[in-house]
Amino acid sequence: MSERRDKMIRVLGIETSCDETAASVVALREGAAPEILSSVVLSQIEEHAAFGGVVPEIAARAHVEALDGIVEAALADSGTTLADVDAVAATAGPGLVGGLIVGLMTAKAIAGAARKPLLAINHLEGHALTARLTDGLQFPYLLLLVSGGHTQIVLVRGVGDYRRWATTIDDALGEAFDKTAKMLGLPYPGGPNVERAARDGDPARFAFPRPMKGSAQPDFSFAGLKTAVRQAATAAAPLSDKDVADICASFQAAVSDALADRVGRALVRFREAHPDVAEPALVVAGGVAANAEIRTALQAQCGKRGFRFIAPPLALCTDNAAMIAWAGIERIRAGLPGEDAFAFAPRSRWPLDEVSTPVVGSGRRGAKA
Ligand code: KG4
Ligand code: ZN
């Protein structure tokens, strides 16, 4: 595709790895900033709320029902037709396999019929490269991904070149928020409800543990914190609104503190590994990055260590297809179309970095893992 280098590249992206059905068209004219021509995201939260979490079968069926219309809407909003796009990029993993099959099969059909190249994209690569779409960030930089299924610190060295520096040895952070909410009788999804309840709470009432704080590796753990929350909730039962607020505030304080400590380790390590990088940066992604207290704690940690703190707009932090289209553009530009996407089978597990030694536990747990 090198003959296209000095022209405009337009890619249609499709994302169906969890509970958002999304499609987007992103364009890049060499020498200019990339442009999101359209980004349509349909959240399935209402379909899953009654079950207190994502139900894979319901998710897959909802993707089947919605995806064609979402792709049409994304093309219409962008003012392009299928004939105008240079390639189709679809999330091929990691995620819930039913949804991945729907997205990838649809993308194969569209790309096959329109005779366009197809790119099978790793969802995590989409998150990892978003800061280049929004802020034109140069490699290398650090990514903190905190969502319902992932809690990782990744060194982003280049397109397709990642090193996972840290992961959770048990629960994902979003999962810890969701489980805390459930224990306290707050509705799904837990994160925003825990944050809301915490506003009126006393963060000093419960001395919850700061998991892994002080350990040399920047890895995470949230299972012990979850147990401490359960014990506090059981001991204080029946819970008043004040108890719930205090537990949420104390939980959030513990999480922010632990996260800042873990990220601080990684920032120090980045400095040591890349003394030549003049303006080092930390990027956050994932639904938990919506949390204001966590953002403040991370920002403070970055300020203390001379790092730029980049938090893309929330709609691009959470799952979306613009990041998948963009990852497709990045791969085309880098001459890395990847494996034969027409023959690619969806991968429910697909680490960004296949060379790092696995940590105890999967690093991906929970409804979204
Ligand atoms: O990135 P995301 O939308 O989906 C994936 O997990 O892929 O992240 C969803 C997670 C859920 O666990 C949700 O509870 C959490 O992000 N979350 C939050 C907040 N908003 C969403 N956690 C803490 N504070 C929030 N404001
Ligand atoms: Zn995600």
Side-chain angles (χ1 to χ4, degrees):
M1 255 166 262
S2 56
E3 72 279 7
R4 294 205 177 271
R5 281 231 166 128
D6 41 25
K7 293 191 194 157
M8 174 140 81
I9 306 178
R10 273 174 294 197
V11 171
L12 168 67
I14 292 176
E15 158 64 39
T16 55
S17 68
C18 189
D19 59 347
E20 275 90 18
T21 314
S24 161
V25 180
V26 176
L28 177 71
R29 199 183 294 277
E30 284 304 326
E35 232 187 305
I36 300 174
L37 300 182
S38 65
S39 180
V40 183
V41 181
L42 177 71
S43 167
Q44 302 176 359
I45 281 182
E46 282 174 17
E47 267 114 310
H48 300 289
F51 304 95
V54 177
V55 183
E57 292 76 11
I58 293 177
R61 203 172 56 226
H63 287 306
V64 171
E65 281 165 15
L67 186 55
D68 287 353
I70 298 287
V71 169
E72 272 172 34
L75 285 169
D77 285 4
S78 71
T80 45
T81 64
L82 210 46
D84 300 325
V85 305
D86 296 273
V88 179
T91 302
L96 298 172
V97 80
L100 294 171
I101 290 172
V102 174
L104 193 56
M105 292 305 285
T106 303
K108 284 179 184 177
I110 292 174
R115 297 178 188 278
K116 303 288 178 181
L118 176 68
L119 296 116
I121 302 292
N122 182 316
H123 177 88
L124 302 174
E125 178 163 71
H127 281 303
L129 298 176
T130 296
R132 291 168 53 76
L133 168 63
T134 56
D135 294 76
L137 194 60
Q138 299 296 309
F139 299 121
Y141 55 87
L142 280 177
L143 169 77
L144 171 68
L145 175 60
V146 274
S147 68
H150 296 96
T151 306
Q152 303 188 345
I153 298 174
V154 177
L155 171 67
V156 183
R157 306 205 307 182
V159 180
D161 187 4
Y162 312 98
R163 291 291 177 278
R164 194 183 68 197
W165 275 7
T167 187
T168 175
I169 59 169
D170 40 57
D171 296 347
L173 183 51
E175 186 186 3
F177 269 94
D178 293 337
K179 286 182 177 168
T180 293
K182 214 169 189 173
M183 283 187 258
L184 300 175
L186 298 172
Y188 172 85
N193 290 306
V194 168
E195 180 171 26
R196 204 165 301 125
R199 272 183 216 137
D200 306 317
D202 172 8
R205 176 161 157 205
F206 297 95
F208 289 140
R210 270 59 174 160
M212 311 289 275
K213 191 168 174 182
S215 109
Q217 289 301 319
D219 288 316
F220 306 92
S221 164
F222 298 105
L225 178 56
K226 182 181 66 189
T227 305
V229 168
R230 181 178 294 117
Q231 285 165 348
T234 309
L239 299 176
S240 66
D241 288 351
K242 170 89 178 95
D243 294 329
V244 170
D246 290 348
I247 292 174
C248 287
S250 302
F251 166 79
Q252 209 170 253
V255 161
S256 302
D257 196 17
L259 211 53
D261 172 75
R262 310 289 62 222
V263 165
R265 288 275 157 177
L267 300 187
V268 169
R269 189 167 155 192
F270 184 94
R271 277 268 191 224
E272 287 165 5
H274 299 280
D276 47 318
V277 174
E279 209 184 15
L282 173 78
V283 178
V284 280
V288 183
N291 188 286
E293 188 175 332
I294 288 177
R295 280 190 186 222
T296 305
L298 293 172
Q299 184 132 36
Q301 188 61 232
C302 284
K304 195 166 113 187
R305 304 198 187 270
F307 275 63
R308 253 178 96 189
F309 176 66
I310 299 181
L314 208 57
L316 294 173
C317 267
T318 53
D319 290 350
N320 66 88
M323 69 178 189
I324 303 304
W326 174 247
I329 291 180
E330 290 263 37
R331 286 198 158 258
I332 291 170
R333 281 165 85 207
L336 279 177
E339 295 141 79
D340 177 7
F342 282 100
F344 196 96
R347 290 183 64 177
S348 59
R349 287 175 173 253
W350 186 3
L352 253 190
D353 161 10
E354 315 232 26
V355 298
S356 290
T357 13
V359 177
V360 186
S362 68
R364 297 190 62 245
R365 290 277 173 92
K368 306 200 167 193

